[in-house]
Amino acid sequence: MINITLPDESIKSFEDPPSGLDIAKSISEGFARNCVAYEIGGEVYDLNTKINNNAAIRLITTRDEEARDIMRHSAAHVMAEAVCRIYKDAKLTIGPIVEDGFYYDIDMEPVSEDAFPEIEAEIKKIIKAKIPFERFEVSKAEALDFFKDEPYKLEMISELEDGNISLYKQGGFTDLCRGPHVPHSGYIKAVKLMKVSGAYWRADQTKEQLQRIYGTAFFDKKELKEYLHFLEEARKRNHRKIGAALDLFSFHDEAAGMPFFHPKGMALWNLLIEYWRYEHKKAGYVETKTPVMLNWKLWEKSGHWENYRENMYTSVIDDDGYAIKPMNCPGGMLLYGEKSHSYKEFPMRVGEIGLVHRHELSGVLSGLFRVRAFHQDDAHIFMMPDQIEGEILGVLKLVERIYSTFGLGFHLELSTRPEKSIGSDEQWETATNGLISALDSYGMDYVINEGDGAFYGPKIDIHIKDALKRTWQCGTIQLDMSLPERFDLTYVGKDNEKHRPVMIHRVVYGSIERFLGILIEHFEGKFPLWLSPVQVVLLPINDELIPYADEVRESLEDSGIRSEVDGRTESLKKKVRDAQLNRIPLILTIGEKEKTAGTFSVRTLDGKVRFGLSKEDFLKQVNIHINERKLNWDIFDD
RNA sequence: GCCCACGUAGCUCAGUCGGUAGAGCGCUUCCUUGGUAAGGAAGAGGUCCACCGGUUCAAUUCCGGUCGUGGGCUCCA
């Protein structure tokens, strides 16, 4: 007799060892159809695996996140089989799941997406046949023999410990796999191949070039459709497209990876920085500026020459070596070291919006997201060890305030000491504990990445979440135990002795260029009123009203509102359409009625039109929205 | 840096199985002076299709290389 405890504490008894499916069926047939696997004590098993002892189990249904991952892994196997059916010489390597689906790295002739229809057709055949996934276990020797024609599998097996090795068989196709899998291929309801790219075996450039085929799969065709719709949305929001359409920035072959900002892009830029300065000044920061190009001796001292040289732009001037800064910190160290400091000055919050250049590999460049020249909204904070917690907490609060102004959510990740690191155990403990207590008193949950810190100190990364729920790492707070040492930075303590200050680097926007790119996608180019490069466009309904429109524009500019007159000889409809496409938040139509009555007719970005507003009411609402940096488009809908 | 794809008018793209290029938008001019998402007409605009070579009677089209862009890999103090 086997007793199975279900999550609701109820107990089911079975004469013979039951499989997960037996248990599910004992609840109901309908429920059983939605089950894909089960879990005992954190281990996940195939639905068909029998349970030989009393256990507490949880059945995993298609509603559970983990069920989708199991199914996608099965889909990877199905795709591998399909590819092998078509490409007889294909040699399989690994096929894991990733965030949005799965991929399989296969050693085969290069394929392009043109091959997808054929592979997908083969996949559908396999799915339709509802081929069961059967698990069986073999010894290492048997496994080696079984895969004797699969060099990559052999390599993987040879690295496994001797003992039982699990294989999964689906019809005539067997793959080395830990599992678990869905009961049969029919569980994969909707599958689509997404893209193909090159990848190296074991991510090693010196090893074989493989074809990585990406796919995604869902339990439901509707979900696949929604996912494709999401991708389409993301594509429409692409900041490169919107940036070109709104005339914000461009790239040129003469400076790959280095953006050129147009007047409207520059307006956005300045507004971001203006806001940054406002918040930072309030938070007790001062601002500095250090040179872009510095002598190599500085980089030698900072360690960059040794560790980062291949990413630095260098030059020789008067027979002396110079490098363009890839980071602001060494310059900041020189500034600190320029004079002596007392503990009474601490914490010293020294900001710098610094232009840095990094020679990133050509293949990684990507719009504003990955560039070779960018501005960091850097700051170095110098303090005593017992100030770590308070300062980190201060940065977290500043970060929260700034991100929330843009309607961006975020989550935190703490990275701790890596294997290769400098500094004593005690230093690391003080530093890490300081970060942890700051995180704890901040009170938000955070992810811990063990051993993922920089070699010079632990760090907190801040990942923002945009309107499409995509996450981006922007902010970071890094404790640095290396540079103060290398630059022999000191302060005089209460005891009148010299001490080593604790120093952190921190950024909020991260790269201003990248942050701007994220904002463009987040807002789909429809910036809140305070941030819009052009806030108001005036549309005279005929040419005679242009002088009056110009007059109104001037008075709006006097009130600090960025305005333009569209004086083209075009129909009103046309000008409205263009203004809407240009995502200008407020359209003022200027006709005889408005001129005579001295009122405004206002159209907001959501298409709502209001007639006969008094100038005073209009300015009042506009100013409230700008000054409070409100996020909603309809400024009259409070 | 590596793999794959791409690079045609300011923009979006079509086209030529090798015989010296097209549409829409935008721009200019003219007509229209229009009340909330495209009024009408005419015209200009490409060293001929990123750049450099090669094959060919002939290349934008085929081949090689370079540069750039996109996706992925890798890298990321």
Side-chain angles (χ1 to χ4, degrees), chain A residues 313-334:
Chain A
Y313 290 96
T314 56
S315 183
V316 173
I317 299 154
D318 292 341
D319 297 326
D320 209 354
Y322 284 80
I324 297 176
K325 65 177 174 183
M327 291 169 214
N328 300 304
C329 27
M333 299 304 101
L334 291 183

Side-chain angles (χ1 to χ4, degrees), chain A residues 1-21:
Chain A
M1 184 69 81
I2 305 249
N3 290 323
I4 300 296
T5 311
L6 298 171
D8 66 357
E9 305 287 313
S10 67
I11 293 174
K12 298 247 175 199
S13 299
F14 296 85
E15 289 292 330
D16 302 311
S19 69
L21 187 65

Side-chain angles (χ1 to χ4, degrees), chain A residues 330-343:
Chain A
M333 299 304 101
L334 291 183
L335 266 186
Y336 180 94
E338 201 214 8
K339 53 186 170 193
S340 65
H341 295 280
S342 148
Y343 75 96

Side-chain angles (χ1 to χ4, degrees), chain A residues 363-612:
Chain A
V364 306
L365 301 179
S366 174
L368 290 179
F369 287 164
R370 198 67 190 269
V371 289
R372 283 178 172 157
F374 60 99
H375 293 72
Q376 289 181 305
D377 63 320
D378 225 332
H380 300 111
I381 303 179
F382 302 92
M383 65 193 125
M384 294 182 283
D386 64 358
Q387 293 173 315
I388 294 176
E389 181 183 337
E391 277 310 294
I392 302 283
L393 190 58
V395 175
L396 289 173
K397 285 180 175 166
L398 179 65
V399 159
E400 177 183 335
R401 197 156 57 245
I402 293 177
Y403 289 169
S404 66
T405 298
F406 299 100
L408 295 162
F410 65 95
H411 78 268
L412 303 169
E413 299 192 5
L414 172 71
S415 296
T416 59
R417 186 176 192 175
E419 273 180 38
K420 254 183 74 180
S421 60
I422 59 138
S424 68
D425 291 352
E426 196 198 337
Q427 278 177 310
W428 273 90
E429 207 180 308
T430 312
T432 310
N433 286 340
L435 297 196
I436 289 173
S437 28
L439 283 168
D440 287 344
S441 53
Y442 183 65
M444 192 188 216
D445 282 343
Y446 55 91
V447 180
I448 298 179
N449 300 318
E450 291 290 351
D452 214 25
F455 79 88
Y456 52 78
K459 61 174 181 172
I460 296 171
D461 288 327
I462 304 139
H463 298 250
I464 64 176
K465 187 181 259 184
D466 73 9
L468 290 184
K469 300 194 166 54
R470 296 173 299 182
T471 59
W472 311 89
Q473 197 232 300
C474 284
T476 182
I477 308 170
Q478 309 193 345
L479 222 137
D480 193 328
M481 303 188 282
S482 168
L483 285 179
E485 199 78 36
R486 281 174 176 269
F487 283 83
D488 193 24
L489 303 186
T490 58
Y491 68 93
V492 178
K494 270 184 186 163
D495 55 5
N496 202 28
E497 296 289 326
K498 279 188 177 178
H499 299 277
R500 189 73 73 209
V502 172
M503 196 268 279
I504 62 171
H505 315 255
R506 45 106 285 172
V507 291
V508 182
Y509 291 152
S511 146
I512 295 170
E513 284 78 354
R514 183 159 173 272
F515 193 76
L516 184 54
I518 292 167
L519 286 184
I520 291 170
E521 304 212 351
H522 173 62
F523 289 121
E524 204 179 350
K526 296 171 184 166
F527 299 105
L529 188 62
W530 73 273
L531 196 54
S532 281
V534 179
Q535 294 168 311
V536 172
V537 66
L538 296 137
L539 308 184
I541 67 169
N542 63 43
D543 293 355
E544 271 120 63
L545 288 156
I546 293 176
Y548 177 63
D550 282 330
E551 236 175 79
V552 176
R553 189 193 66 81
E554 274 177 46
S555 77
L556 290 176
E557 288 285 350
D558 281 346
S559 308
I561 297 166
R562 297 181 291 280
S563 327
E564 282 181 356
V565 172
D566 185 349
R568 289 175 305 163
T569 307
E570 290 286 353
S571 67
L572 184 65
K573 280 185 185 215
K574 170 72 169 166
K575 291 197 275 196
V576 166
R577 177 180 145 87
D578 286 346
Q580 296 275 71
L581 291 178
N582 284 322
R583 282 107 155 153
I584 293 167
L586 297 170
I587 298 172
L588 296 195
T589 315
I590 302 290
E592 284 300 337
K593 287 176 206 160
E594 286 74 19
K595 188 179 174 185
T596 315
T599 56
F600 291 148
S601 293
V602 184
R603 181 178 169 122
T604 43
L605 250 190
D606 49 10
K608 280 191 202 151
V609 186
R610 288 176 181 75
F611 296 95

